[in-house]
């Protein structure tokens, strides 16, 4: 097993990736958006960025039950 040393650019790379996901939420899964929000909520550069990530996380979590219910309804209609 090889242990790779952590790069000092790791946090900056993850934050950049998270920002890219958030910038294009329409093309990413809720899971990926949730992960990006968690990264930005913890490692965002400004308090505003961290707060916005937390708000988006609330929105994504709030719509989840509706989407699940819609799938269940579609399954019943197909029977």
């Amino acid at each position: 097993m090889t242990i790779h040393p952590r790069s000092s650019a790791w946090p900056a790379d993850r934050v950049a990736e998270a920002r890219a996901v958030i910038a294009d939420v329409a093309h990413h899964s809720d899971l990926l958006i949730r992960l990006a929000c968690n990264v930005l909520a913890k490692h965002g550069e400004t308090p505003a960025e961290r707060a916005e990530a937390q708000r988006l996380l609330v929105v994504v979590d709030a719509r989840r039950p509706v989407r699940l219910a819609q799938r269940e309804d579609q399954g019943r209609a197909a029977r």
Side-chain angles (χ1 to χ4, degrees):
M1 175 183 264
T2 304
I3 299 175
H4 299 284
R6 286 192 178 190
S7 167
S8 62
W10 179 88
D13 291 345
R14 299 298 79 80
V15 168
E17 290 172 350
R19 286 181 183 138
V21 168
I22 299 303
D24 193 19
V25 294
H27 293 100
H28 292 94
S29 68
D30 285 355
L31 176 62
L32 192 54
I33 294 167
R34 230 180 251 109
L35 289 170
C37 286
N38 285 325
V39 168
L40 290 178
K42 290 182 182 179
H43 303 288
E45 287 183 18
T46 64
E49 183 177 40
R50 292 189 295 273
E52 288 174 6
Q54 289 174 336
R55 283 193 293 270
L56 180 57
L57 186 58
V58 168
V59 170
V60 171
D61 284 342
R63 74 181 186 172
R64 186 170 184 215
V66 171
R67 296 178 95 195
L68 187 59
Q70 288 172 344
R71 277 192 230 125
E72 289 173 358
D73 289 344
Q74 289 172 353
R76 288 186 196 124
R79 289 184 202 167

